[in-house]
Amino acid sequence: MSDIASNLAEISRRIAAAARTAGRDPAEIMLVAVSKTHDDAAIRPALEAGQRIFGENRVQEAAAKWPGLKAAFPGIRLHLIGPLQTNKVREAVALFDVVETVDRPKLARALAEESRRTGRRPACLIQVNTGREPQKAGIDPDQADALIALARDTYDLDVRGVMCIPPADEDPTPHFRLLAGIAARNRLPVVSMGMSGDFEQAIADGATHVRVGSAIFGSRG
Ligand SMILES: *Cc1c(COP(=O)(O)O)cnc(C)c1O
């Protein structure tokens, strides 16, 4: 077994264990394998091991890497997990199945226009800046309900849930719980939170999707 396949197996085992500890069904937790900065040679072993959900943070990089892999391996679902500029919306809608980073009205409107134009309607998550960090993407937690309503009801986007990246230097649990609460009160099923260092805690706090990169593919140099 390749290192990447054995890392994947180990992460899956830890996800299942964390789910059981939390009294949850392991099948409720989706693993998004974050392949940003890694090339074809790293991604193929993950595909061969059966992984089909991947996260990328840059539209351009994903557009160079994924069309060939999508043709070779059926059933791939690509998640955009990095910031999306409105001038990249066309390319993003063509390539991604899930846009996890909808964080402002202008972007929601651009996605709606592109969906209307193409008939392609990616699932969307609303990114929430739970730590209110000025340099970080995401809607302020106090404005999350309004953006969810706008995206879902006014723009008719396929809003499935919420996503966050907690501040790097804090206990993530209050952030995870804040995000899970926003999902619950808006009756949204998807809660995307938790990375290599904290996905087990995220599962304890209600994650349905964990985004794991370096623990699968190794460090990003
Ligand atoms: C890079 C990245 C991850 C994965 O981080 P790791 O610590 O490598 O697991 C998850 N989510 C987002 C938004 C990222 O940019």
Side-chain angles (χ1 to χ4, degrees):
M1 199 157 49
S2 77
D3 283 356
I4 286 166
S6 69
N7 291 346
L8 263 175
E10 173 64 8
I11 296 297
S12 299
R13 188 195 63 71
R14 285 171 57 189
I15 289 171
R20 283 191 209 95
T21 300
R24 302 179 59 196
D25 179 353
E28 284 174 20
I29 321 290
M30 301 292 140
L31 170 61
V32 179
V34 176
S35 50
K36 66 187 185 197
T37 77
H38 294 285
D39 62 11
D40 215 82
I43 296 171
R44 274 179 185 269
L47 284 160
E48 278 153 13
Q51 178 67 26
R52 286 296 179 274
I53 310 178
F54 290 85
E56 289 282 346
N57 69 334
R58 298 170 72 105
V59 175
Q60 231 63 66
E61 181 188 336
K65 274 156 56 172
W66 281 97
L69 291 166
K70 275 189 157 185
F73 294 88
I76 289 172
R77 290 191 50 86
L78 273 189
H79 290 226
L80 178 61
I81 60 169
L84 178 55
Q85 305 303 320
T86 49
N87 65 3
K88 299 267 172 60
V89 159
R90 184 161 292 189
E91 222 173 343
V93 167
L95 184 64
F96 287 94
D97 303 287
V98 183
V99 177
E100 296 207 12
T101 51
V102 180
D103 66 350
R104 58 200 191 279
K106 187 180 171 199
L107 176 58
R109 195 182 59 206
L111 286 164
E113 279 168 8
E114 185 61 9
S115 291
R116 222 169 3 251
R117 198 181 70 81
T118 60
R120 237 185 98 79
R121 198 160 167 263
C124 292
L125 307 185
I126 303 297
Q127 182 177 359
V128 182
N129 186 358
T130 57
R132 297 185 167 89
E133 295 172 277
Q135 81 287 3
K136 197 171 268 179
I139 188 84
D140 186 279
D142 292 336
Q143 295 165 28
D145 294 355
L147 182 59
I148 290 165
L150 180 77
R152 183 164 56 183
D153 305 332
T154 306
Y155 291 134
D156 194 33
L157 295 180
D158 184 13
V159 178
R160 302 273 179 88
V162 289
M163 174 272 215
C164 78
I165 310 166
D169 50 357
E170 282 181 31
D171 175 5
T173 283
H175 300 275
F176 291 158
R177 291 189 181 159
L178 174 60
L179 191 72
I182 292 169
R185 72 176 181 244
N186 287 282
R187 301 186 195 293
L188 291 170
V190 173
V191 183
S192 172
M193 59 190 190
M195 317 201 300
S196 290
D198 57 14
F199 68 87
E200 285 146 321
Q201 186 59 49
I203 290 166
D205 291 329
T208 64
H209 288 56
V210 294
R211 308 178 308 266
V212 178
S214 49
I216 297 169
F217 295 107
S219 66
R220 286 181 291 272

